[in-house]
Amino acid sequence: MFDTVGTPRRWLWPVLAVFARSHVMFPVWQRGVPFTVENRPVAGTDGAPAVAATRVFELRGEPRR
């Protein structure tokens, strides 16, 4: 559970929306946000086994990765 996600400074939300396209930041302000981490095996750059992770935030309205 994340205590807070985003910023209450709404004037920053247009900037955060640019980053949201890359799934880096979200233009929101929410408290008590549940999230999950999905780990999956992948091949590393050298062919060795590695793990890739995806975080899914359960924001109001829709989950975001």
Side-chain angles (χ1 to χ4, degrees):
M1 179 81 63
F2 265 82
D3 288 336
T4 57
V5 173
T7 179
R9 294 169 185 86
R10 294 183 69 98
W11 59 270
L12 281 174
W13 289 14
V15 174
L16 297 179
V18 172
F19 290 102
R21 293 182 205 139
S22 301
H23 307 285
V24 176
M25 293 183 249
F26 309 117
V28 298
W29 173 242
Q30 292 183 26
R31 294 181 182 267
V33 177
F35 74 100
T36 57
V37 178
E38 301 169 352
N39 293 316
R40 62 190 179 286
V42 296
T45 56
D46 60 357
V51 176
T54 302
R55 290 161 193 84
V56 180
F57 297 88
E58 297 297 332
L59 299 171
R60 286 188 293 268
E62 66 181 279
R64 304 238 183 129
R65 297 184 175 278

Short mmCIF file of all heavy atoms in Angstrom, two decimals:
data_model
loop_
_atom_site.label_atom_id
_atom_site.label_comp_id
_atom_site.label_asym_id
_atom_site.label_seq_id
_atom_site.Cartn_x
_atom_site.Cartn_y
_atom_site.Cartn_z
N MET A 1 0.85 -1.17 0.00
CA MET A 1 0.00 0.00 0.00
C MET A 1 0.90 1.24 0.00
O MET A 1 1.74 1.40 0.87
CB MET A 1 -0.89 -0.04 1.24
CG MET A 1 -1.81 1.13 1.41
SD MET A 1 -3.31 1.06 0.46
CE MET A 1 -4.12 -0.36 1.13
N PHE A 2 0.71 2.09 -0.99
CA PHE A 2 1.42 3.37 -1.02
C PHE A 2 0.62 4.36 -0.18
O PHE A 2 -0.59 4.45 -0.31
CB PHE A 2 1.50 3.92 -2.46
CG PHE A 2 2.78 3.58 -3.16
CD1 PHE A 2 2.94 2.35 -3.76
CD2 PHE A 2 3.80 4.50 -3.24
CE1 PHE A 2 4.11 2.02 -4.41
CE2 PHE A 2 4.98 4.18 -3.90
CZ PHE A 2 5.13 2.94 -4.49
N ASP A 3 1.31 5.13 0.67
CA ASP A 3 0.62 6.15 1.46
C ASP A 3 0.02 7.21 0.56
O ASP A 3 -1.15 7.55 0.67
CB ASP A 3 1.56 6.81 2.45
CG ASP A 3 1.93 5.89 3.61
OD1 ASP A 3 1.15 4.97 3.90
OD2 ASP A 3 2.99 6.10 4.21
N THR A 4 0.85 7.75 -0.34
CA THR A 4 0.37 8.76 -1.28
C THR A 4 0.99 8.52 -2.66
O THR A 4 2.12 8.04 -2.77
CB THR A 4 0.75 10.20 -0.83
OG1 THR A 4 2.15 10.28 -0.68
CG2 THR A 4 0.06 10.57 0.47
N VAL A 5 0.23 8.88 -3.67
CA VAL A 5 0.71 8.78 -5.06
C VAL A 5 0.40 10.12 -5.72
O VAL A 5 -0.71 10.63 -5.63
CB VAL A 5 0.00 7.64 -5.83
CG1 VAL A 5 0.38 7.67 -7.30
CG2 VAL A 5 0.35 6.29 -5.22
N GLY A 6 1.40 10.68 -6.38
CA GLY A 6 1.20 11.92 -7.12
C GLY A 6 1.47 13.16 -6.29
O GLY A 6 2.18 13.13 -5.31
N THR A 7 0.87 14.26 -6.72
CA THR A 7 1.06 15.55 -6.07
C THR A 7 -0.27 16.31 -6.01
O THR A 7 -1.06 16.23 -6.96
CB THR A 7 2.11 16.41 -6.81
OG1 THR A 7 2.24 17.66 -6.13
CG2 THR A 7 1.75 16.66 -8.25
N PRO A 8 -0.49 17.07 -4.94
CA PRO A 8 -1.70 17.88 -4.88
C PRO A 8 -1.58 19.16 -5.70
O PRO A 8 -2.56 19.88 -5.88
CB PRO A 8 -1.83 18.20 -3.38
CG PRO A 8 -0.43 18.17 -2.88
CD PRO A 8 0.26 17.10 -3.70
N ARG A 9 -0.42 19.43 -6.24
CA ARG A 9 -0.19 20.65 -7.05
C ARG A 9 -0.71 20.41 -8.47
O ARG A 9 0.04 19.98 -9.35
CB ARG A 9 1.28 21.01 -7.02
CG ARG A 9 1.74 21.42 -5.65
CD ARG A 9 3.24 21.51 -5.55
NE ARG A 9 3.66 21.79 -4.20
CZ ARG A 9 3.86 20.86 -3.27
NH1 ARG A 9 3.70 19.58 -3.57
NH2 ARG A 9 4.23 21.19 -2.05
N ARG A 10 -1.96 20.73 -8.66
CA ARG A 10 -2.61 20.45 -9.95
C ARG A 10 -1.92 21.14 -11.13
O ARG A 10 -2.02 20.67 -12.26
CB ARG A 10 -4.08 20.81 -9.89
CG ARG A 10 -4.86 19.91 -8.93
CD ARG A 10 -6.32 20.22 -8.95
NE ARG A 10 -6.95 19.85 -10.19
CZ ARG A 10 -7.61 18.72 -10.39
NH1 ARG A 10 -7.76 17.86 -9.41
NH2 ARG A 10 -8.15 18.46 -11.56
N TRP A 11 -1.24 22.25 -10.89
CA TRP A 11 -0.57 22.94 -11.99
C TRP A 11 0.56 22.09 -12.57
O TRP A 11 0.99 22.32 -13.70
CB TRP A 11 -0.06 24.31 -11.54
CG TRP A 11 0.91 24.28 -10.39
CD1 TRP A 11 0.61 24.34 -9.06
CD2 TRP A 11 2.33 24.19 -10.47
NE1 TRP A 11 1.76 24.28 -8.30
CE2 TRP A 11 2.83 24.19 -9.15
CE3 TRP A 11 3.23 24.10 -11.53
CZ2 TRP A 11 4.20 24.10 -8.86
CZ3 TRP A 11 4.57 24.01 -11.25
CH2 TRP A 11 5.06 24.02 -9.93
N LEU A 12 1.04 21.06 -11.81
CA LEU A 12 2.07 20.16 -12.32
C LEU A 12 1.49 19.00 -13.13
O LEU A 12 2.23 18.30 -13.83
CB LEU A 12 2.89 19.57 -11.16
CG LEU A 12 3.96 20.46 -10.56
CD1 LEU A 12 4.57 19.79 -9.34
CD2 LEU A 12 5.03 20.76 -11.59
N TRP A 13 0.20 18.77 -13.04
CA TRP A 13 -0.40 17.60 -13.69
C TRP A 13 -0.19 17.57 -15.21
O TRP A 13 0.03 16.49 -15.76
CB TRP A 13 -1.86 17.49 -13.33
CG TRP A 13 -2.09 17.08 -11.89
CD1 TRP A 13 -1.17 17.07 -10.88
CD2 TRP A 13 -3.29 16.61 -11.33
NE1 TRP A 13 -1.74 16.64 -9.71
CE2 TRP A 13 -3.04 16.35 -9.96
CE3 TRP A 13 -4.56 16.39 -11.82
CZ2 TRP A 13 -4.02 15.88 -9.10
CZ3 TRP A 13 -5.53 15.93 -10.96
CH2 TRP A 13 -5.26 15.67 -9.62
N PRO A 14 -0.24 18.69 -15.93
CA PRO A 14 0.06 18.60 -17.38
C PRO A 14 1.48 18.07 -17.66
O PRO A 14 1.69 17.32 -18.61
CB PRO A 14 -0.10 20.03 -17.87
CG PRO A 14 -1.06 20.65 -16.90
CD PRO A 14 -0.71 20.02 -15.56
N VAL A 15 2.44 18.45 -16.82
CA VAL A 15 3.81 17.94 -16.99
C VAL A 15 3.84 16.45 -16.69
O VAL A 15 4.45 15.67 -17.42
CB VAL A 15 4.79 18.71 -16.07
CG1 VAL A 15 6.18 18.10 -16.13
CG2 VAL A 15 4.81 20.18 -16.43
N LEU A 16 3.17 16.04 -15.61
CA LEU A 16 3.15 14.62 -15.25
C LEU A 16 2.44 13.79 -16.32
O LEU A 16 2.77 12.63 -16.51
CB LEU A 16 2.49 14.43 -13.89
CG LEU A 16 3.21 15.09 -12.70
CD1 LEU A 16 2.43 14.84 -11.43
CD2 LEU A 16 4.63 14.60 -12.59
N ALA A 17 1.46 14.38 -16.99
CA ALA A 17 0.75 13.65 -18.05
C ALA A 17 1.70 13.25 -19.17
O ALA A 17 1.53 12.19 -19.78
CB ALA A 17 -0.40 14.50 -18.59
N VAL A 18 2.70 14.08 -19.44
CA VAL A 18 3.71 13.73 -20.46
C VAL A 18 4.46 12.47 -20.04
O VAL A 18 4.66 11.56 -20.83
CB VAL A 18 4.68 14.91 -20.69
CG1 VAL A 18 5.82 14.49 -21.60
CG2 VAL A 18 3.94 16.11 -21.26
N PHE A 19 4.84 12.40 -18.77
CA PHE A 19 5.54 11.23 -18.26
C PHE A 19 4.63 10.01 -18.15
O PHE A 19 5.09 8.88 -18.21
CB PHE A 19 6.18 11.53 -16.90
CG PHE A 19 7.33 12.49 -16.98
CD1 PHE A 19 7.17 13.81 -16.63
CD2 PHE A 19 8.56 12.05 -17.42
CE1 PHE A 19 8.24 14.69 -16.72
CE2 PHE A 19 9.64 12.91 -17.50
CZ PHE A 19 9.47 14.25 -17.15
N ALA A 20 3.35 10.23 -17.98
CA ALA A 20 2.39 9.12 -17.87
C ALA A 20 2.35 8.30 -19.15
O ALA A 20 2.11 7.09 -19.12
CB ALA A 20 0.99 9.64 -17.54
N ARG A 21 2.62 8.92 -20.27
CA ARG A 21 2.66 8.18 -21.55
C ARG A 21 3.73 7.10 -21.53
O ARG A 21 3.59 6.08 -22.18
CB ARG A 21 2.91 9.14 -22.71
CG ARG A 21 1.79 10.09 -22.95
CD ARG A 21 2.07 10.99 -24.15
NE ARG A 21 1.32 12.21 -23.99
CZ ARG A 21 1.77 13.41 -24.27
NH1 ARG A 21 3.00 13.57 -24.73
NH2 ARG A 21 1.01 14.47 -24.08
N SER A 22 4.80 7.35 -20.78
CA SER A 22 5.89 6.37 -20.64
C SER A 22 5.72 5.50 -19.40
O SER A 22 6.63 4.75 -19.05
CB SER A 22 7.23 7.09 -20.57
OG SER A 22 7.44 7.86 -21.72
N HIS A 23 4.59 5.67 -18.71
CA HIS A 23 4.29 4.90 -17.50
C HIS A 23 5.31 5.17 -16.40
O HIS A 23 5.70 4.25 -15.68
CB HIS A 23 4.19 3.40 -17.80
CG HIS A 23 3.25 3.08 -18.91
ND1 HIS A 23 1.89 3.12 -18.76
CD2 HIS A 23 3.47 2.76 -20.20
CE1 HIS A 23 1.31 2.82 -19.90
NE2 HIS A 23 2.25 2.59 -20.80
N VAL A 24 5.75 6.42 -16.28
CA VAL A 24 6.74 6.78 -15.27
C VAL A 24 6.07 7.47 -14.08
O VAL A 24 6.33 7.13 -12.94
CB VAL A 24 7.83 7.71 -15.87
CG1 VAL A 24 8.79 8.18 -14.81
CG2 VAL A 24 8.55 7.00 -17.00
N MET A 25 5.23 8.46 -14.34
CA MET A 25 4.51 9.21 -13.29
C MET A 25 3.06 9.38 -13.72
O MET A 25 2.75 9.28 -14.90
CB MET A 25 5.14 10.58 -13.09
CG MET A 25 6.52 10.55 -12.52
SD MET A 25 7.13 12.22 -12.24
CE MET A 25 8.41 12.29 -13.47
N PHE A 26 2.21 9.67 -12.74
CA PHE A 26 0.78 9.82 -13.04
C PHE A 26 0.29 11.18 -12.55
O PHE A 26 0.64 11.59 -11.45
CB PHE A 26 -0.04 8.73 -12.36
CG PHE A 26 0.48 7.34 -12.61
CD1 PHE A 26 0.93 6.56 -11.57
CD2 PHE A 26 0.50 6.82 -13.89
CE1 PHE A 26 1.40 5.28 -11.79
CE2 PHE A 26 0.97 5.55 -14.13
CZ PHE A 26 1.42 4.78 -13.08
N PRO A 27 -0.56 11.86 -13.34
CA PRO A 27 -1.10 13.15 -12.92
C PRO A 27 -2.30 12.94 -11.99
O PRO A 27 -3.46 13.13 -12.36
CB PRO A 27 -1.52 13.81 -14.24
CG PRO A 27 -1.85 12.66 -15.14
CD PRO A 27 -0.93 11.54 -14.72
N VAL A 28 -2.01 12.53 -10.76
CA VAL A 28 -3.05 12.25 -9.78
C VAL A 28 -2.59 12.69 -8.40
O VAL A 28 -1.43 13.01 -8.20
CB VAL A 28 -3.39 10.74 -9.72
CG1 VAL A 28 -3.92 10.24 -11.03
CG2 VAL A 28 -2.20 9.92 -9.27
N TRP A 29 -3.49 12.66 -7.45
CA TRP A 29 -3.19 12.84 -6.04
C TRP A 29 -4.14 11.93 -5.29
O TRP A 29 -5.35 12.19 -5.24
CB TRP A 29 -3.37 14.28 -5.62
CG TRP A 29 -3.24 14.50 -4.14
CD1 TRP A 29 -4.20 14.97 -3.31
CD2 TRP A 29 -2.09 14.29 -3.33
NE1 TRP A 29 -3.73 15.06 -2.03
CE2 TRP A 29 -2.42 14.65 -2.01
CE3 TRP A 29 -0.81 13.81 -3.57
CZ2 TRP A 29 -1.52 14.55 -0.95
CZ3 TRP A 29 0.08 13.71 -2.52
CH2 TRP A 29 -0.27 14.08 -1.24
N GLN A 30 -3.61 10.82 -4.79
CA GLN A 30 -4.43 9.86 -4.06
C GLN A 30 -3.67 9.32 -2.87
O GLN A 30 -2.45 9.24 -2.88
CB GLN A 30 -4.83 8.69 -4.97
CG GLN A 30 -5.80 9.10 -6.05
CD GLN A 30 -6.24 7.94 -6.91
OE1 GLN A 30 -6.24 6.80 -6.47
NE2 GLN A 30 -6.61 8.23 -8.13
N ARG A 31 -4.43 8.94 -1.85
CA ARG A 31 -3.84 8.35 -0.65
C ARG A 31 -4.32 6.92 -0.50
O ARG A 31 -5.40 6.57 -0.98
CB ARG A 31 -4.27 9.15 0.58
CG ARG A 31 -3.72 10.54 0.60
CD ARG A 31 -4.15 11.26 1.87
NE ARG A 31 -3.68 12.62 1.90
CZ ARG A 31 -2.55 13.01 2.47
NH1 ARG A 31 -1.76 12.14 3.06
NH2 ARG A 31 -2.18 14.27 2.46
N GLY A 32 -3.50 6.09 0.15
CA GLY A 32 -3.88 4.70 0.40
C GLY A 32 -4.09 3.91 -0.87
O GLY A 32 -5.13 3.28 -1.06
N VAL A 33 -3.11 3.94 -1.76
CA VAL A 33 -3.23 3.28 -3.07
C VAL A 33 -2.64 1.87 -3.00
O VAL A 33 -1.44 1.70 -2.82
CB VAL A 33 -2.51 4.11 -4.16
CG1 VAL A 33 -2.57 3.40 -5.50
CG2 VAL A 33 -3.10 5.50 -4.24
N PRO A 34 -3.49 0.85 -3.18
CA PRO A 34 -2.95 -0.51 -3.22
C PRO A 34 -2.19 -0.74 -4.53
O PRO A 34 -2.51 -0.14 -5.56
CB PRO A 34 -4.18 -1.40 -3.13
CG PRO A 34 -5.35 -0.54 -3.38
CD PRO A 34 -4.94 0.88 -3.26
N PHE A 35 -1.21 -1.61 -4.47
CA PHE A 35 -0.47 -1.95 -5.67
C PHE A 35 0.00 -3.39 -5.58
O PHE A 35 0.07 -3.97 -4.51
CB PHE A 35 0.72 -1.00 -5.89
CG PHE A 35 1.88 -1.23 -4.97
CD1 PHE A 35 2.99 -1.94 -5.40
CD2 PHE A 35 1.86 -0.75 -3.67
CE1 PHE A 35 4.07 -2.15 -4.54
CE2 PHE A 35 2.93 -0.95 -2.81
CZ PHE A 35 4.03 -1.66 -3.25
N THR A 36 0.29 -3.94 -6.74
CA THR A 36 0.87 -5.28 -6.81
C THR A 36 2.12 -5.22 -7.68
O THR A 36 2.28 -4.31 -8.49
CB THR A 36 -0.11 -6.31 -7.43
OG1 THR A 36 -0.50 -5.86 -8.73
CG2 THR A 36 -1.35 -6.49 -6.57
N VAL A 37 2.99 -6.19 -7.48
CA VAL A 37 4.19 -6.32 -8.30
C VAL A 37 4.11 -7.67 -8.99
O VAL A 37 3.95 -8.70 -8.34
CB VAL A 37 5.48 -6.22 -7.45
CG1 VAL A 37 6.70 -6.41 -8.33
CG2 VAL A 37 5.53 -4.90 -6.73
N GLU A 38 4.21 -7.66 -10.31
CA GLU A 38 4.20 -8.89 -11.10
C GLU A 38 5.62 -9.15 -11.58
O GLU A 38 6.18 -8.35 -12.32
CB GLU A 38 3.27 -8.74 -12.30
CG GLU A 38 1.83 -8.43 -11.93
CD GLU A 38 1.00 -8.04 -13.15
OE1 GLU A 38 1.55 -7.85 -14.25
OE2 GLU A 38 -0.21 -7.90 -12.96
N ASN A 39 6.22 -10.23 -11.14
CA ASN A 39 7.56 -10.63 -11.59
C ASN A 39 7.44 -11.73 -12.63
O ASN A 39 6.61 -12.62 -12.48
CB ASN A 39 8.39 -11.14 -10.41
CG ASN A 39 8.71 -10.04 -9.43
OD1 ASN A 39 9.07 -8.95 -9.83
ND2 ASN A 39 8.56 -10.32 -8.16
N ARG A 40 8.25 -11.66 -13.67
CA ARG A 40 8.24 -12.72 -14.69
C ARG A 40 9.67 -12.96 -15.17
O ARG A 40 10.46 -12.03 -15.26
CB ARG A 40 7.31 -12.35 -15.83
CG ARG A 40 7.69 -11.13 -16.57
CD ARG A 40 6.60 -10.67 -17.55
NE ARG A 40 7.00 -9.47 -18.22
CZ ARG A 40 7.04 -8.27 -17.68
NH1 ARG A 40 6.73 -8.09 -16.44
NH2 ARG A 40 7.43 -7.23 -18.37
N PRO A 41 9.97 -14.22 -15.46
CA PRO A 41 11.32 -14.53 -15.93
C PRO A 41 11.51 -14.07 -17.38
O PRO A 41 10.58 -14.15 -18.19
CB PRO A 41 11.39 -16.05 -15.82
CG PRO A 41 9.97 -16.51 -15.86
CD PRO A 41 9.14 -15.40 -15.30
N VAL A 42 12.67 -13.55 -17.65
CA VAL A 42 13.04 -13.13 -19.00
C VAL A 42 14.50 -13.49 -19.22
O VAL A 42 15.22 -13.82 -18.28
CB VAL A 42 12.84 -11.62 -19.22
CG1 VAL A 42 11.38 -11.23 -19.11
CG2 VAL A 42 13.68 -10.81 -18.26
N ALA A 43 14.94 -13.43 -20.46
CA ALA A 43 16.36 -13.63 -20.76
C ALA A 43 17.07 -12.29 -20.62
O ALA A 43 16.60 -11.26 -21.11
CB ALA A 43 16.53 -14.16 -22.17
N GLY A 44 18.19 -12.28 -19.92
CA GLY A 44 18.98 -11.07 -19.76
C GLY A 44 19.70 -10.72 -21.05
O GLY A 44 19.65 -11.47 -22.05
N THR A 45 20.39 -9.61 -21.05
CA THR A 45 21.09 -9.17 -22.26
C THR A 45 22.18 -10.14 -22.68
O THR A 45 22.50 -10.25 -23.86
CB THR A 45 21.71 -7.77 -22.05
OG1 THR A 45 22.58 -7.81 -20.91
CG2 THR A 45 20.65 -6.73 -21.84
N ASP A 46 22.72 -10.89 -21.71
CA ASP A 46 23.76 -11.87 -22.03
C ASP A 46 23.18 -13.28 -22.17
O ASP A 46 23.93 -14.26 -22.25
CB ASP A 46 24.86 -11.84 -20.99
CG ASP A 46 24.34 -12.17 -19.59
OD1 ASP A 46 23.12 -12.35 -19.43
OD2 ASP A 46 25.16 -12.23 -18.67
N GLY A 47 21.85 -13.38 -22.17
CA GLY A 47 21.21 -14.68 -22.31
C GLY A 47 20.97 -15.39 -20.98
O GLY A 47 20.30 -16.41 -20.94
N ALA A 48 21.53 -14.87 -19.92
CA ALA A 48 21.33 -15.47 -18.60
C ALA A 48 19.91 -15.17 -18.10
O ALA A 48 19.32 -14.17 -18.50
CB ALA A 48 22.36 -14.92 -17.62
N PRO A 49 19.37 -16.00 -17.25
CA PRO A 49 18.03 -15.74 -16.71
C PRO A 49 18.00 -14.43 -15.92
O PRO A 49 18.96 -14.06 -15.24
CB PRO A 49 17.77 -16.91 -15.77
CG PRO A 49 18.76 -17.96 -16.15
CD PRO A 49 19.93 -17.25 -16.75
N ALA A 50 16.90 -13.71 -16.04
CA ALA A 50 16.71 -12.45 -15.33
C ALA A 50 15.23 -12.35 -14.96
O ALA A 50 14.43 -13.20 -15.34
CB ALA A 50 17.15 -11.27 -16.19
N VAL A 51 14.88 -11.31 -14.25
CA VAL A 51 13.49 -11.08 -13.84
C VAL A 51 13.09 -9.68 -14.25
O VAL A 51 13.83 -8.72 -14.05
CB VAL A 51 13.33 -11.25 -12.31
CG1 VAL A 51 11.92 -10.91 -11.88
CG2 VAL A 51 13.69 -12.65 -11.89
N ALA A 52 11.91 -9.55 -14.84
CA ALA A 52 11.32 -8.25 -15.16
C ALA A 52 10.13 -8.05 -14.24
O ALA A 52 9.40 -9.00 -13.95
CB ALA A 52 10.89 -8.20 -16.62
N ALA A 53 9.94 -6.83 -13.77
CA ALA A 53 8.85 -6.55 -12.84
C ALA A 53 7.95 -5.46 -13.40
O ALA A 53 8.40 -4.53 -14.05
CB ALA A 53 9.40 -6.11 -11.49
N THR A 54 6.65 -5.61 -13.14
CA THR A 54 5.66 -4.60 -13.48
C THR A 54 4.88 -4.27 -12.21
O THR A 54 4.41 -5.16 -11.53
CB THR A 54 4.68 -5.12 -14.55
OG1 THR A 54 5.42 -5.50 -15.71
CG2 THR A 54 3.67 -4.06 -14.92
N ARG A 55 4.77 -2.99 -11.90
CA ARG A 55 3.97 -2.55 -10.76
C ARG A 55 2.62 -2.06 -11.26
O ARG A 55 2.57 -1.27 -12.20
CB ARG A 55 4.70 -1.43 -10.01
CG ARG A 55 5.92 -1.92 -9.29
CD ARG A 55 6.85 -0.76 -8.95
NE ARG A 55 8.15 -1.25 -8.53
CZ ARG A 55 9.13 -1.60 -9.35
NH1 ARG A 55 8.96 -1.51 -10.65
NH2 ARG A 55 10.28 -2.06 -8.89
N VAL A 56 1.57 -2.52 -10.63
CA VAL A 56 0.21 -2.12 -11.01
C VAL A 56 -0.39 -1.36 -9.84
O VAL A 56 -0.58 -1.92 -8.76
CB VAL A 56 -0.66 -3.34 -11.37
CG1 VAL A 56 -2.05 -2.89 -11.77
CG2 VAL A 56 -0.02 -4.15 -12.48
N PHE A 57 -0.67 -0.07 -10.06
CA PHE A 57 -1.27 0.78 -9.04
C PHE A 57 -2.77 0.81 -9.26
O PHE A 57 -3.25 1.11 -10.35
CB PHE A 57 -0.71 2.21 -9.13
CG PHE A 57 0.76 2.28 -8.86
CD1 PHE A 57 1.67 2.10 -9.89
CD2 PHE A 57 1.22 2.50 -7.59
CE1 PHE A 57 3.03 2.16 -9.65
CE2 PHE A 57 2.58 2.56 -7.33
CZ PHE A 57 3.49 2.38 -8.36
N GLU A 58 -3.53 0.51 -8.22
CA GLU A 58 -4.99 0.50 -8.31
C GLU A 58 -5.52 1.88 -8.00
O GLU A 58 -6.06 2.15 -6.93
CB GLU A 58 -5.56 -0.55 -7.34
CG GLU A 58 -5.14 -1.96 -7.66
CD GLU A 58 -5.63 -2.46 -9.02
OE1 GLU A 58 -6.70 -1.99 -9.49
OE2 GLU A 58 -4.96 -3.30 -9.61
N LEU A 59 -5.35 2.78 -8.96
CA LEU A 59 -5.84 4.16 -8.80
C LEU A 59 -7.34 4.20 -9.04
O LEU A 59 -7.89 3.38 -9.77
CB LEU A 59 -5.12 5.08 -9.78
CG LEU A 59 -3.60 5.15 -9.60
CD1 LEU A 59 -2.97 5.90 -10.75
CD2 LEU A 59 -3.24 5.78 -8.28
N ARG A 60 -8.00 5.18 -8.42
CA ARG A 60 -9.44 5.33 -8.65
C ARG A 60 -9.70 5.50 -10.14
O ARG A 60 -9.04 6.30 -10.81
CB ARG A 60 -10.00 6.53 -7.91
CG ARG A 60 -10.11 6.30 -6.42
CD ARG A 60 -10.84 7.45 -5.76
NE ARG A 60 -10.09 8.71 -5.80
CZ ARG A 60 -9.26 9.11 -4.85
NH1 ARG A 60 -9.05 8.36 -3.79
NH2 ARG A 60 -8.63 10.25 -4.98
N GLY A 61 -10.63 4.76 -10.65
CA GLY A 61 -10.98 4.89 -12.06
C GLY A 61 -10.36 3.81 -12.91
O GLY A 61 -11.02 3.25 -13.77
N GLU A 62 -9.09 3.49 -12.69
CA GLU A 62 -8.45 2.45 -13.50
C GLU A 62 -7.09 2.06 -12.93
O GLU A 62 -6.41 2.88 -12.34
CB GLU A 62 -8.28 2.93 -14.93
CG GLU A 62 -7.31 4.08 -15.08
CD GLU A 62 -7.17 4.55 -16.51
OE1 GLU A 62 -6.43 3.91 -17.28
OE2 GLU A 62 -7.83 5.54 -16.85
N PRO A 63 -6.71 0.82 -13.13
CA PRO A 63 -5.35 0.42 -12.73
C PRO A 63 -4.34 1.00 -13.72
O PRO A 63 -4.63 1.15 -14.90
CB PRO A 63 -5.38 -1.10 -12.79
CG PRO A 63 -6.57 -1.46 -13.60
CD PRO A 63 -7.50 -0.30 -13.60
N ARG A 64 -3.18 1.38 -13.21
CA ARG A 64 -2.12 1.91 -14.08
C ARG A 64 -0.85 1.12 -13.84
O ARG A 64 -0.51 0.77 -12.73
CB ARG A 64 -1.86 3.38 -13.76
CG ARG A 64 -3.09 4.23 -13.86
CD ARG A 64 -2.91 5.33 -14.84
NE ARG A 64 -4.09 6.17 -14.88
CZ ARG A 64 -4.07 7.46 -14.76
NH1 ARG A 64 -2.96 8.11 -14.59
NH2 ARG A 64 -5.19 8.15 -14.83
N ARG A 65 -0.13 0.83 -14.91
CA ARG A 65 1.13 0.08 -14.85
C ARG A 65 2.30 1.03 -14.89
O ARG A 65 2.29 2.02 -15.51
CB ARG A 65 1.23 -0.88 -16.04
CG ARG A 65 0.14 -1.91 -16.00
CD ARG A 65 0.33 -2.90 -17.14
NE ARG A 65 -0.61 -3.96 -17.05
CZ ARG A 65 -0.50 -5.04 -16.27
NH1 ARG A 65 0.57 -5.17 -15.53
NH2 ARG A 65 -1.41 -5.96 -16.23
#
